[in-house]
Amino acid sequence: MSTTDPVESYRDSYVLRSQSDAAERTVKRHVRHLRMFEAWLQERGKDLQSDIEVEDDLLRFRRWMKKRGAGAECPECETVADPFEDHCPDCGADVSKGEPVGYSEGTIKNATGAISKFFQIRRPDDPNPVDEWEPTGSDGKWSITTEKKRATREGVFYLESDEVDQLIEAAEGFRDKLVIRLLVSTGMRRSELISLRLRDVEPGQKRIRIYERKNDEYRTVGFRSDKLARNLRMWIDHHRTQEYGADESDYLFPPDGKGESDHLGATIVRDIVVEAADRADIQQSYGTDAMGRTQHLVTPHALRATFAVQCAKNGIPAPMVKEALGHHSLNVTDIYTSVIDDDAADMIRRDGPSF
């Protein structure tokens, strides 16, 4: 994962859109809200590049802002101290038991907008959690459609088995085909794939240990594909040794020599999937982001969704899919597994009994 500060990258991308003073003022306000959200997430073992969950992250953060987000009032001098500080900045008194101070609905709305814009600009290929939330009253509710809408970004987009075969076939070279097969066979995130080390991959056991940076822990996932096991062994024993920087790197996918990272870049992985989908003629777009870039449906995240949906179709219980995906809440897993409810209804409407 890149060490670049995501908030500063967001600031730069936002300002590039407009050189006006208004843009500068707006992004300054956005950065302030994002720094607060970032600090709140870090206290819970996550960050802005983690999977942001609506109920566990976004709505809890909004409620926290309303109740105590502005900080705590110092019992000695009545200064409002930063919510992440234990002592008053003016008199140094302990503010841990001070009266909590919250933000107004307007400020909370602005903070939610800043988070939404951050995802739109800096993480255009990941789901925007704000899009899954509908305001109803002060707390709002989580609203997600389970209807499979293939032509838009709404709902769950995934590939059918024949489309996965076409995607792999269209990928260029052994490495690129392996990257796609690995993503769709394990459901791992793009950031997790590029962080895989050789010691974590066991082709003979059909098992991979995935490091979760936000928890500083590993989870183990298995895979079924004999072809993936063979290809991993061929990659490790032969193809990988011919890659740039392989001798100095202990990562499964060494760097390509175009950057300073010691492993393959996340952008390269995205390009592998997007470009293979273009060549396979299965790519779709759903508009442009704030920078005018085309938004694609077939991305590494779509392969993660494909893995989850296919697991559900094959009868694997949702809690087990949750563990494989590294989700912290079944609510997120249910976004994928609930798709089969619609498929079952369609099948009965088509092939069910008719009296």
Side-chain angles (χ1 to χ4, degrees):
M1 183 178 292
S2 171
T3 58
T4 303
D5 184 341
V7 178
E8 287 305 311
S9 296
Y10 167 82
R11 182 203 298 271
D12 295 341
S13 299
Y14 192 104
V15 173
L16 279 174
R17 295 168 56 218
S18 172
Q19 300 301 319
S20 69
D21 292 339
E24 292 282 2
R25 290 193 298 270
T26 299
V27 75
K28 184 177 181 180
R29 184 174 67 249
H30 282 196
V31 166
R32 185 172 67 251
H33 292 316
L34 287 169
R35 289 297 184 200
M36 182 186 299
F37 187 41
E38 182 180 47
W40 185 89
L41 287 170
Q42 288 172 347
E43 286 202 335
R44 289 152 180 81
K46 303 181 76 172
D47 57 36
L48 284 170
Q49 299 187 83
S50 302
D51 276 353
I52 305 302
E53 300 168 2
V54 177
E55 289 190 320
D56 288 346
D57 297 322
L58 180 60
L59 293 185
R60 287 180 183 272
F61 175 67
R62 286 173 55 87
R63 295 186 187 110
W64 174 84
M65 282 193 70
K66 183 176 182 180
K67 293 180 178 180
R68 60 179 65 247
E73 186 177 279
C74 175
E76 299 295 330
C77 67
E78 298 184 349
T79 297
V80 176
D82 185 281
F84 302 104
E85 297 293 336
D86 295 327
H87 296 88
C88 175
D90 288 349
C91 68
D94 183 0
V95 296
S96 59
K97 296 183 180 179
E99 188 70 24
V101 179
Y103 282 112
S104 67
E105 286 294 333
T107 300
I108 297 171
K109 182 178 179 180
N110 288 337
T112 305
I115 296 169
S116 177
K117 185 63 71 174
F118 171 84
F119 274 85
Q120 181 185 356
I121 292 178
R122 296 306 309 164
R123 294 176 57 174
D125 293 317
D126 294 331
N128 189 333
V130 181
D131 290 344
E132 298 169 7
W133 174 82
E134 291 182 356
T136 56
S138 59
D139 288 333
K141 69 176 182 178
W142 189 32
S143 174
I144 187 73
T145 176
T146 59
E147 188 176 335
K148 186 173 69 174
K149 299 180 179 178
R150 303 298 304 276
T152 71
R153 187 62 166 168
E154 298 176 14
V156 177
F157 179 86
Y158 64 94
L159 301 179
E160 303 293 353
S161 296
D162 61 331
E163 293 174 317
V164 174
D165 291 339
Q166 294 173 51
L167 185 67
I168 295 173
E169 180 65 25
E172 294 185 333
F174 192 92
R175 184 200 67 179
D176 293 2
K177 293 180 187 294
L178 177 59
V179 163
I180 293 174
R181 196 181 297 278
L182 195 54
L183 287 170
V184 78
S185 296
T186 64
M188 70 176 70
R189 301 173 177 91
R190 176 177 49 168
S191 61
E192 293 171 340
L193 178 134
I194 63 177
S195 301
L196 285 176
R197 297 179 186 269
L198 286 169
R199 64 173 181 264
D200 298 327
V201 182
E202 302 177 48
Q205 303 297 321
K206 294 184 178 179
R207 183 171 59 194
I208 297 174
R209 295 174 69 243
I210 298 175
Y211 177 64
E212 295 185 336
R213 176 176 172 270
K214 56 191 174 187
N215 299 326
D216 194 25
E217 296 177 351
Y218 284 86
R219 74 177 189 276
T220 300
V221 299
F223 58 87
R224 180 182 178 184
S225 171
D226 292 331
K227 180 171 285 189
L228 175 57
R230 290 195 302 270
N231 287 357
L232 278 170
R233 177 49 59 197
M234 290 173 62
W235 171 256
I236 293 171
D237 292 345
H238 176 62
H239 294 280
R240 181 186 178 279
T241 62
Q242 303 175 42
E243 293 287 308
Y244 172 88
D247 292 340
E248 293 78 28
S249 174
D250 62 350
Y251 289 94
L252 180 64
F253 294 105
D256 64 351
K258 297 179 181 178
E260 298 181 358
S261 175
D262 50 0
H263 56 64
L264 194 64
T267 301
I268 294 175
V269 173
R270 178 187 179 280
D271 291 344
I272 287 172
V273 177
V274 170
E275 292 171 8
D278 284 335
R279 287 191 293 271
D281 199 26
I282 61 172
Q283 186 60 274
Q284 299 181 47
S285 62
Y286 61 95
T288 58
D289 66 10
M291 300 297 291
R293 296 169 296 198
T294 301
Q295 301 292 274
H296 299 99
L297 281 174
V298 184
T299 64
H301 185 79
L303 300 186
R304 180 168 161 83
T306 299
F307 166 83
V309 171
Q310 294 301 328
C311 283
K313 287 186 174 184
N314 291 343
I316 299 177
M320 293 185 180
V321 180
K322 168 183 172 292
E323 291 302 317
L325 293 172
H327 284 158
H328 293 272
S329 170
L330 267 176
N331 290 327
V332 181
T333 310
D334 285 343
I335 294 174
Y336 303 121
T337 58
S338 61
V339 169
I340 64 172
D341 296 336
D342 297 314
D343 288 351
D346 290 341
M347 186 177 297
I348 291 172
R349 279 194 292 268
R350 185 180 67 246
D351 302 324
S354 177
F355 298 104

